[in-house]
Structure formats: structure tokens, C-alpha cells
Amino acid sequence: GILFVHNLYHHHMSLQLNLRSAFLGKASVRAASPMASKPAGSSNATRSVTAMAKKKGIRVIVTLECTEARSEGGTPSRYTTQKSKKNTPERIEMKKYNKYLRRHTLHREIK
């Protein structure tokens, strides 16, 4: 009777703690749990999350835009690609497919 209900309650509480740790991480479960007591000096509040790291290098992402579509009054197609500033300091020119004109056209790098 009462012992069964008591054991069921503690089993339910441990399941809740396990679910919290799965979704929130162990640090927030310890802080939210009434059973856990930590010394005043050891806090996880100073933990910081860093953003994605920037790549260090000479490669940059550039946009290539169709040169022929504007003169014909059509929609210019755009592509993005990478280039090395060291090897190609000037602007890139390539033949790429323009889906609006349905043919390959000259594309130049834009700012």
C-alpha cells in the first residue's frame, strides 16, 4: 500500500530528473534539483557559449552576376563561389548558365 506509492513517487521523480538532464544538460538539473546542494564557490554561471569560428585565410566568398541579362532586359542570374585573394586579386569572369535566358552567359564578380 503506502510503501508501493512511496516507491512509485521516487521512481517518478528520478525519471523526471533523467528527462531534465537529457533536455537541459546536467548543470541545470543540479541547480533545479532540491536534493543537490553545491558549495557557494562552484557555480556554472560563468560558462559561455562561443559562436562559430571564423576561418583564417585568404579565401573569400564572392558573387558572380550575369552581364548579358541586364542589357537584354532579363533577370540576371547569380552564383556564389570562393576565390583566393592571393592568386586572383582581380575580379573573376566565368561562363555560367543563366536559367532565365536558358543559355550560358558571361558572369562577373560583383561587390
Side-chain angles (χ1 to χ4, degrees):
I2 296 214
L3 185 61
F4 175 76
V5 171
H6 181 73
N7 287 340
L8 189 63
Y9 172 77
H10 281 292
H11 179 71
H12 176 73
M13 292 305 287
S14 68
L15 282 178
Q16 274 188 331
L17 284 175
N18 288 340
L19 286 174
R20 277 191 199 148
S21 68
F23 286 109
L24 303 175
K26 302 232 184 262
S28 51
V29 171
R30 272 189 238 114
S33 170
M35 293 179 269
S37 62
K38 292 175 68 176
S42 62
S43 171
N44 282 340
T46 59
R47 187 187 309 178
S48 65
V49 178
T50 57
M52 283 180 23
K54 259 188 164 177
K55 283 188 178 180
K56 292 189 171 101
I58 51 176
R59 296 197 77 77
V60 291
I61 297 173
V62 295
T63 305
L64 304 174
E65 187 180 81
C66 178
T67 57
E68 299 176 28
R70 294 232 185 230
S71 61
E72 295 179 17
T75 305
S77 64
R78 287 187 171 180
Y79 288 91
T80 58
T81 187
Q82 288 186 349
K83 78 166 189 176
S84 169
K85 277 188 173 178
K86 186 176 89 174
N87 297 335
T88 54
E90 69 279 352
R91 293 196 177 188
I92 296 178
E93 290 185 354
M94 283 185 196
K95 286 263 190 167
K96 302 290 274 181
Y97 184 75
N98 185 334
K99 66 181 179 181
Y100 306 109
L101 299 178
R102 295 187 184 149
R103 60 188 168 95
H104 281 80
T105 59
L106 184 67
H107 284 67
R108 271 200 197 103
E109 178 185 336
I110 60 171
K111 283 272 182 182

